[in-house]
Amino acid sequence: MLNHQNLHLIQQQLAPYNAQLVAVTKKQSIETILQLYDAGVRVMGENKVQELLPKYEQLPKDIDWHLIGHLQTNKVKQIASFVKCIHSVDSPKLLTEIDKQAKQHNRIIKCLLQVHIATEETKFGFTPDELLLWLEQNPLSNLHHVSVIGLMGMATFTNNKTQIHHEFKQLKQLFDECKKRYFALQDSFCELSMGMSDDYPIALNEGSTMVRIGSLLY
Ligand SMILES: *Cc1c(COP(=O)(O)O)cnc(C)c1O
C-alpha cells in the first residue's frame, strides 16, 4: 500500500533541489502502483526486466519506465520498444546493444553510465578510471539511438554518513569532470542519479538530480 504521507514528504524535500523522483516499484502489486499513479507519479523504476514487462503491459501507457538494475545484453530487446531511461549502463557492450535495439524501434533511449563508488564488490559499474579512459576514445559518436544524460551510482550500504557523503561527492566530481571534458556542448548531459530511501537526503546535498526511492513509499 502506498504511504501518501511519505510520498508528499519526499516530494516536498525534492522540490527545492528540482530533483526527479523515480518511484521504485519492484515487488509492488499493480494495485499499489496504481495508487502511485493516481497520486500523480509518472516516473517509475524497476530493477528486473522480467518484473518490468508484465507491469508495462498492465499499467497505463503514459508511465515513464526507468530500468535501474543490472541489465543483461540479451534482455535489452525485450524492453527497447518502450523503456524511457536505463540507469544501469555498466559496459560499452551494453550501450552498443541498447543503441542497436533502439534503432529497430526508431527510438532514442536515455542512458546513465553506472559508476562503481561503493566499497562493496557486488555493485556493478565502471570504475572512475575505466569511465574516463573509455570516454577519451569518443565512443558515443556513432551511437545515434542512445542519449547519455549522465551518471548513476550507489553508495556503500553503511550507517557511516561521512562515508556516504564522501562517495556521493566523488561521483559528483566525476560527473563534473566528464561534463567539462566530454559533454560540454551537450545540454542533455545533466543528470546525476544517486540516492535511495536510506541516503537520498545526503545525495541531494551532494548534487543528485534523480533519486530512486522504493521502500520509503510503501
Ligand atoms: C531497489 C533499488 C532502489 C530503491 O531502494 P530503496 O532502498 O527501496 O529505496 C534504488 N536503486 C536500485 C538500483 C534498486 O535496485
Side-chain angles (χ1 to χ4, degrees), residues 24 26 47 68-69 152 154 195-198 212-216:
V24 178
K26 68 184 182 208
N47 69 334
I68 60 170
M152 181 274 237
M154 275 186 270
M196 315 181 6
S197 291
D198 288 337
R212 310 174 313 274
I213 297 180
S215 39
L216 204 56

Side-chain angles (χ1 to χ4, degrees), residues 116 118-125 156:
H116 182 110
T119 52
E120 292 131 338
E121 286 189 3
T122 50
K123 304 247 158 93
F124 292 98
T156 302

Side-chain angles (χ1 to χ4, degrees), residues 6 13 17 37 58 62 71 93 98 100 119 154-155:
N6 279 2
Q13 286 171 299
Y17 295 95
Y37 184 87
Q58 293 172 61
D62 61 340
L71 176 59
K93 186 175 141 222
I98 296 167
K100 181 179 150 193
T119 52
M154 275 186 270

Side-chain angles (χ1 to χ4, degrees), residues 12-81:
Q12 279 172 9
Q13 286 171 299
L14 297 186
Y17 295 95
N18 235 331
Q20 172 73 56
L21 170 65
V22 179
V24 178
T25 53
K26 68 184 182 208
K27 299 185 192 130
Q28 298 300 323
S29 66
I30 296 292
E31 289 71 26
T32 299
I33 303 173
L34 278 173
Q35 291 177 331
L36 272 170
Y37 184 87
D38 290 339
V41 175
R42 291 293 179 275
V43 180
M44 319 255 186
E46 278 287 334
N47 69 334
K48 293 201 176 96
V49 168
Q50 64 265 35
E51 266 197 70
L52 171 55
L53 289 174
K55 287 173 181 166
Y56 167 70
E57 294 297 334
Q58 293 172 61
L59 285 156
K61 292 295 177 282
D62 61 340
I63 293 173
D64 286 350
W65 286 106
H66 289 209
L67 200 284
I68 60 170
H70 180 62
L71 176 59
Q72 284 172 277
T73 311
N74 61 10
K75 293 197 173 145
V76 174
K77 62 161 103 52
Q78 300 179 51
I79 58 172
S81 68

